Amino acid sequence: MATKDPINVPKEGTIRPLKERANLCAGLDLLPEGCRRFLRDNEAAFLAAPGSGHNHQFHKGGLADHYDELFAIAATLHRSLSDLRPLPFTLDEALLILFLHDLEKTWKRISADVPRDQTYYNLAHDQHGLQEQIIKDYGLAL
């Protein structure tokens, strides 16, 4: 039986802070300031959120783990594919799409004691509506 990667399974009751997620932090440096501001404004909820309703990354901090891993995969794939041929998108464009793709999970399954933005919490089950609201609120452009 395979064992779980200890990097992705936090000790009971612990959540790794954003600064310990090197791939996410490196990717955020390529993204518009609005993305970093969004995470500062919603850090407690983002870090508390599980990455899924069950199965993979179903633990507190799982969503942040998911983003950290995706940003690493995106950087590796973009670099590798760019070596083979010109790509019709930049790494920062790919990271912006990845940044927006699962943000509703920030509010879908967090416990009642976690601070939350009520507008975003109310939109958590409308992924497209939530993405549009965040794009507007944080001055992001696709």
Side-chain angles (χ1 to χ4, degrees):
M1 181 162 106
T3 59
K4 291 189 176 191
D5 181 351
I7 294 171
N8 291 329
V9 180
K11 292 179 183 173
E12 189 64 34
T14 64
I15 298 175
R16 291 180 19 234
L18 283 175
K19 67 183 181 182
E20 291 182 14
R21 299 166 190 281
N23 302 306
L24 177 57
C25 290
L28 285 171
D29 287 344
L30 300 175
L31 293 176
E33 170 58 25
C35 295
R36 293 184 293 280
R37 192 164 43 93
F38 170 85
L39 281 182
R40 283 192 304 271
D41 292 350
N42 298 282
E43 185 172 355
F46 182 79
L47 288 176
S52 68
H54 61 289
N55 297 328
H56 71 285
Q57 298 161 325
F58 180 51
H59 58 268
K60 283 186 176 184
L63 182 62
D65 290 343
H66 174 62
Y67 272 76
D68 196 39
E69 293 165 6
L70 279 179
F71 277 32
I73 292 166
T76 300
L77 282 175
H78 192 274
R79 186 174 40 254
S80 296
L81 292 174
S82 294
D83 288 344
L84 300 174
R85 65 180 185 283
L87 296 176
F89 56 89
T90 63
L91 176 58
D92 52 325
E93 290 169 335
L95 291 175
L96 179 57
I97 298 303
L98 286 173
F99 179 79
L100 292 168
H101 93 282
D102 265 348
L103 284 182
E104 79 283 354
K105 291 181 179 179
T106 304
W107 298 277
K108 270 188 173 178
R109 296 178 182 91
I110 56 173
S111 59
D113 62 325
V114 176
R116 69 196 67 213
D117 180 294
Q118 196 61 44
T119 299
Y120 299 150
Y121 179 73
N122 292 340
L123 285 169
H125 292 284
D126 176 9
Q127 183 181 24
H128 185 70
L130 177 65
Q131 289 168 345
E132 286 181 345
Q133 189 66 49
I134 291 169
I135 288 168
K136 178 183 168 204
D137 291 349
Y138 288 90
L140 303 175
L142 298 180

